[in-house]
């Protein structure tokens, strides 16, 4: 089904959902990781904030949870959230709430929102002492094996983005976002899952020098969980697991 102009995402943001006890430390950590400043807080409980780059439009937001565990969700910026939510339902999504922005879940249970906030200019990667650069530019959907094919098809149809291929693993399926989009999507087949497990997600950073970038994160309070050929898994001080990859911070792609 073709994606209409009213429902096609013109911008995608990553939203870091922080458990209340992790809020202060988590916001401070991610602001230092990205080099972005925290906006004024908004919402009835002052529970929402935006991490704002020095140049370009924001694509990273934070939420203090009243309950639940630290995690991540997506904001899809569209012209008409209600029309987009209706189209998503036809693809297998479930609408959870309509606050003017619409909260939905994918067929496998991953939360995302349709919002209208503008976004146009992609932020440039941050430069760090020593000369390397990095940017938080990817949300990886961690999908139980039974839901993998359905989630790939759902997100491709929802966004209108082309299903790509990975040179790293058949368990990774990237969606090739249009030029200028700040956040990539990667669908990953989760190796272990139990009955009823929902799709979860984590954020990834692209770095021009992974070793230096990992050292920088460790100095900020993260610790290394695992090392792989093209990426390092870390856990931040707010409890969230994420990855630093060898992808190019400008193109988002792995060098050959």
């Amino acid at each position: 089904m073709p994606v209409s102009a009213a429902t096609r995402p013109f911008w995608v943001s990553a939203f870091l959902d922080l458990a209340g006890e992790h809020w202060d430390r988590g916001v401070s950590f991610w602001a230092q990781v990205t080099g972005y400043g925290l906006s004024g807080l908004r919402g009835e409980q002052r529970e929402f904030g935006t991490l704002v780059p020095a140049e370009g439009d924001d694509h990273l937001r934070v939420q203090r949870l009243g309950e639940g565990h630290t995690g991540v969700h997506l904001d899809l910026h569209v012209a008409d959230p209600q029309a987009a939510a209706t189209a998503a339902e036809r693809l297998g999504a479930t609408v959870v709430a309509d606050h003017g922005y619409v909260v939905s879940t994918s067929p496998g249970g991953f939360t995302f929102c349709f919002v209208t906030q503008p976004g146009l200019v992609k932020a440039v990667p941050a430069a760090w002492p020593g000369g390397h650069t990095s940017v938080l530019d990817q949300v990886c959907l961690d999908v139980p094996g039974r839901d993998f094919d359905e989630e790939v098809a759902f997100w491709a149809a929802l966004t209108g983005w082309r299903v790509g291929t990975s040179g790293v693993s058949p368990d990774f399926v990237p969606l090739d976002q249009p030029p200028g989009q700040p956040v990539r999507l990667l669908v990953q087949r989760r190796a272990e899952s139990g009955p009823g497990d929902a799709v979860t997600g984590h954020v990834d950073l692209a770095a021009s020098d992974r070793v230096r970038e990992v050292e920088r994160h460790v100095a900020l309070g993260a610790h290394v969980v695992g090392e792989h050929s093209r990426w390092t898994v870390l856990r931040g001080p707010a409890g969230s697991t994420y990855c630093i990859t060898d992808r190019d911070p400008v193109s988002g792609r792995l060098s050959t």
Side-chain angles (χ1 to χ4, degrees):
M1 179 186 302
V3 182
S4 73
T7 64
R8 179 184 298 109
F10 60 80
W11 196 254
V12 176
S13 297
F15 225 120
L16 303 174
D17 303 316
L18 301 171
E21 66 269 24
H22 295 151
W23 172 254
D24 290 334
R25 195 173 185 188
V27 169
S28 175
F29 174 75
W30 287 107
Q32 292 177 85
V33 160
T34 57
Y36 298 167
L38 179 64
S39 71
L41 299 180
R42 57 191 182 274
E44 292 183 1
Q45 306 297 324
R46 292 172 55 81
E47 69 272 31
F48 298 114
T50 299
L51 292 176
V52 183
E55 297 181 25
D57 295 321
D58 69 85
H59 67 273
L60 183 60
R61 301 175 180 193
V62 289
Q63 174 179 205
R64 183 177 62 248
L65 299 175
E67 58 183 19
H69 302 291
T70 292
V72 62
H73 74 268
L74 284 167
D75 272 4
L76 305 181
H77 301 235
V78 296
D80 187 333
Q82 285 70 33
T86 298
E89 283 188 290
R90 290 196 291 266
L91 296 172
T94 299
V95 171
V96 176
D98 187 344
H99 305 289
Y101 64 91
V102 182
V103 184
S104 300
T105 57
S106 74
F110 186 79
T111 299
F112 62 98
C113 299
F114 289 113
V115 303
T116 58
Q117 287 85 356
L120 180 63
V121 180
K122 182 178 176 180
V124 298
W128 305 107
H132 83 279
T133 61
S134 68
V135 64
L136 191 158
D137 70 336
Q138 182 166 271
V139 170
C140 179
L141 305 177
D142 302 309
V143 181
R146 66 179 181 278
D147 298 325
F148 187 74
D149 292 340
E150 183 179 22
E151 286 291 304
V152 170
F154 172 79
W155 289 100
L158 186 69
T159 60
W161 296 0
R162 187 180 71 86
V163 176
T165 57
S166 169
V168 175
S169 170
D171 292 330
F172 296 160
V173 175
L175 299 182
D176 294 335
Q177 83 271 40
Q181 279 281 2
V183 174
R184 291 164 42 96
L185 296 182
L186 177 69
V187 186
Q188 173 178 299
R189 190 191 313 270
R190 203 158 67 208
E192 298 179 2
S193 59
D197 284 356
V199 177
T200 58
H202 67 267
V203 296
D204 293 337
L205 293 94
S208 62
D209 187 325
R210 177 159 52 107
V211 171
R212 286 185 176 179
E213 183 70 357
V214 168
E215 290 173 349
R216 190 175 70 87
H217 286 232
V218 170
L220 292 173
H223 66 271
V224 174
V225 175
E227 290 278 4
H228 299 270
S229 60
R230 306 304 297 268
W231 73 95
T232 301
V233 184
L234 299 98
R235 182 168 289 114
S240 54
T241 300
Y242 65 98
C243 298
I244 298 173
T245 77
D246 288 332
R247 291 180 299 104
D248 180 81
V250 175
S251 71
R253 300 189 180 278
L254 283 171
S255 58
T256 55

